[in-house]
Amino acid sequence: PQGLPWRGEITEDDGPIINITENGEYSSINLNKSVALNIVDDVTVYIAGPFIMQKGSKFLIEDGVHVQLYLGHSFYMENGSKFNKKMDVPTNLQIWGTDTFTGDFVAEGDEGDGGGKE
């Protein structure tokens, strides 16, 4: 996607909730431990660098919200991190890889936990 406002990077350590309410381009997103990334409005998000969800982090989408997520490098979802159940509806979250996506797409999940969903 072109023309998205620059938002920098998201790197948080422990506990906070990070709300994304507007379209944006990020250099990278690294969610540590128990950080929750909460999408509260319809948005388009482009991540030029790595998107990393460490154990205990969460990716949440509010009811009725639609997200288009563009990955420009790599995606790593560590065992024990979660997407909420709003992902059961395909129109709520679309994940796209751009032509610059050169890394891995890894989504680990605990066996029997619904594949990383909460």
Side-chain angles (χ1 to χ4, degrees):
Q2 297 180 3
L4 296 175
W6 179 252
R7 305 283 184 207
E9 69 178 341
I10 294 176
T11 302
E12 294 294 333
D13 286 325
D14 197 16
I17 295 175
I18 301 164
N19 290 316
I20 292 183
T21 60
E22 299 178 303
N23 297 333
E25 178 179 346
Y26 296 85
S27 59
S28 64
I29 295 179
N30 185 359
L31 304 178
N32 299 318
K33 300 178 185 171
S34 60
V35 174
L37 183 64
N38 189 38
I39 312 294
V40 298
D41 289 311
D42 293 352
V43 294
T44 298
V45 174
Y46 170 56
I47 307 164
F51 180 16
I52 301 167
M53 293 179 62
Q54 295 183 21
K55 183 176 184 173
S57 64
K58 297 178 182 179
F59 188 101
L60 309 172
I61 295 179
E62 296 286 326
D63 288 329
V65 170
H66 305 283
V67 178
Q68 288 200 17
L69 180 63
Y70 289 86
L71 303 174
H73 185 268
S74 60
F75 174 81
Y76 183 70
M77 181 181 172
E78 192 173 283
N79 194 357
S81 56
K82 305 274 185 198
F83 280 89
N84 66 347
K85 288 187 178 178
K86 308 294 187 290
M87 309 309 165
D88 288 346
V89 179
T91 58
N92 289 354
L93 175 66
Q94 295 180 1
I95 301 175
W96 302 92
T98 67
D99 58 354
T100 61
F101 189 90
T102 57
D104 294 324
F105 187 97
V106 178
E108 296 178 349
D110 293 328
E111 198 168 308
D113 76 348
K117 293 187 295 184
E118 174 177 78

